């Protein structure tokens, strides 16, 4: 039973296979889900960013503070980078399976609710990994922390755990139906340009002017949406573009250096290793060894 996130508010559903946990991120890391996921899950990138690769799909950038949905049976590869200077970060994972539960209301004067004893269809939101929200990151951090705290107590109360879990789903439903994207709309032209041009020929000042706002205003709205500055985003996009080129074995390092504006392959290798912790050759080996 595939539904939109906001449709959760119109349904009643059971939550099974509930499991929340904190995941430490130490340095720039990669992780491959080699076996299909056994449950659905939400993953909150609390103080790190990432890139998600899926078979047959275009890789996408995950801003800090993003809430990501991972469906059952999905397979993917993450590249994660902490934002803190210490090189450490955290993600919050919430695994679950949802099933629709039929609710009936009597026709008598009490209008009482009754819950069907028969478990309905599994509820899911997408067939692939996707970003649910990039807003309200502090709210989601609190909700996930409350769930993990309730779940981890030695004398765990099932009621507390399920109240915390249902609160997350209620917030997800409200988030999709009520949130405002006013700030993002103001700079949407600039965001589109930056996403489509990993090697831009415009400065941040020129991109801001495209949106009709000052550089300071553009940077403020951009960081509120992505969790990083426009310059940091462009640097990440450039490395991401290099990785795309490296995934084609026919591209030599000299050709990649020319396409990305580096003076030679040696300089490209030094910058790439500084940003990713590995050489282009090591990245190629890692990528092709983890292909789906």
């Amino acid at each position: 039973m595939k539904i939109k996130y906001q449709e959760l508010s119109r349904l009643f559903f059971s939550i099974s296979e509930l499991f929340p946990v904190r995941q430490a991120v130490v340095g720039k890391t990669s992780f491959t889900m080699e076996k299909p996921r056994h449950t659905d899950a939400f993953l909150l990138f609390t103080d790190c960013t990432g890139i998600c690769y899926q078979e047959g799909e275009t890789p996408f950038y995950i801003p800090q503070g993003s809430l990501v949905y991972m469906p059952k049976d999905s397979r993917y590869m993450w590249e994660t980078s902490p934002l803190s200077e210490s090189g450490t970060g955290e993600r919050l994972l919430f695994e679950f399976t949802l099933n629709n539960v039929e609710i009936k209301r009597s026709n008598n004067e009490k209008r009482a609710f009754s819950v069907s004893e028969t478990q309905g269809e599994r509820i899911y939101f997408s067939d692939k990994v996707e970003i649910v929200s990039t807003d309200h990151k502090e709210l989601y951090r609190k909700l996930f922390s409350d769930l993990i705290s309730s779940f981890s107590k030695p004398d765990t109360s099932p009621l507390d755990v399920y109240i915390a879990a249902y609160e997350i789903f209620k917030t997800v439903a409200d988030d999709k139906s009520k949130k405002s994207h006013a700030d993002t709309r103001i700079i949407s032209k600039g965001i589109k340009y930056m996403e489509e041009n990993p090697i831009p020929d415009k400065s941040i000042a020129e991109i801001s002017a495209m949106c009709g706002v000052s550089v300071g205003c553009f940077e403020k709205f951009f960081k509120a949406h992505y969790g990083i500055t426009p310059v940091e985003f462009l640097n990440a996009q450039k490395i991401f573009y290099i990785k795309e080129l490296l995934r084609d074995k026919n591209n030599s390092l000299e050709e990649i250096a020319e396409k990305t504006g580096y003076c030679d392959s040696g300089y490209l290798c030094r910058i790439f290793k500084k940003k990713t912790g590995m050489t282009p050759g090591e990245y190629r080996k890692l990528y092709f060894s983890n292909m789906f």
Side-chain angles (χ1 to χ4, degrees), residues 12-77:
F12 185 65
F13 49 89
S14 64
I15 307 173
S16 59
E17 299 181 277
L18 188 162
F19 179 73
V21 67
R22 297 182 186 275
Q23 296 182 329
V25 177
V26 182
K28 298 178 185 298
T29 61
S30 63
F31 168 77
T32 301
M33 176 60 76
E34 296 179 350
K35 296 181 179 179
R37 280 201 60 84
H38 68 286
T39 67
D40 294 315
F42 285 141
L43 185 61
L44 183 64
F45 283 69
T46 49
D47 49 12
C48 54
T49 62
I51 297 173
C52 180
Y53 302 89
Q54 299 177 85
E55 185 177 14
E57 301 291 336
T58 301
F60 62 91
Y61 177 75
I62 302 168
Q64 184 262 338
S66 296
L67 179 64
V68 176
Y69 171 68
M70 302 175 294
K72 180 181 179 181
D73 296 327
S74 59
R75 296 172 63 228
Y76 43 82
M77 183 169 78

Side-chain angles (χ1 to χ4, degrees), residues 141-156:
R141 184 198 294 265
K142 180 181 183 306
L143 292 173
F144 273 66
S145 295
D146 288 347
L147 175 60
I148 293 170
S149 177
S150 297
F151 182 85
S152 303
K153 289 179 180 177
D155 53 345
T156 297

Side-chain angles (χ1 to χ4, degrees), residues 2-3 51 67 81 89 93-94 125 127 134 137 195 209 215 220 224 234 237 241 253 262 266:
K2 186 177 181 180
I3 67 171
I51 297 173
L67 179 64
S81 301
L93 175 69
F94 171 25
F125 309 106
D127 297 307
T134 56
K137 52 182 174 284
E195 290 177 338
V215 173
K220 176 183 176 183
L234 287 177
Q237 282 287 88
Y241 181 50
L253 292 182
Y262 290 108

Side-chain angles (χ1 to χ4, degrees), residues 104-117:
K104 295 182 179 179
R105 200 163 188 181
S106 62
N107 294 322
N108 59 35
E109 60 181 27
K110 289 185 177 180
R111 300 281 290 152
F113 281 106
S114 298
V115 179
S116 171
E117 295 183 3

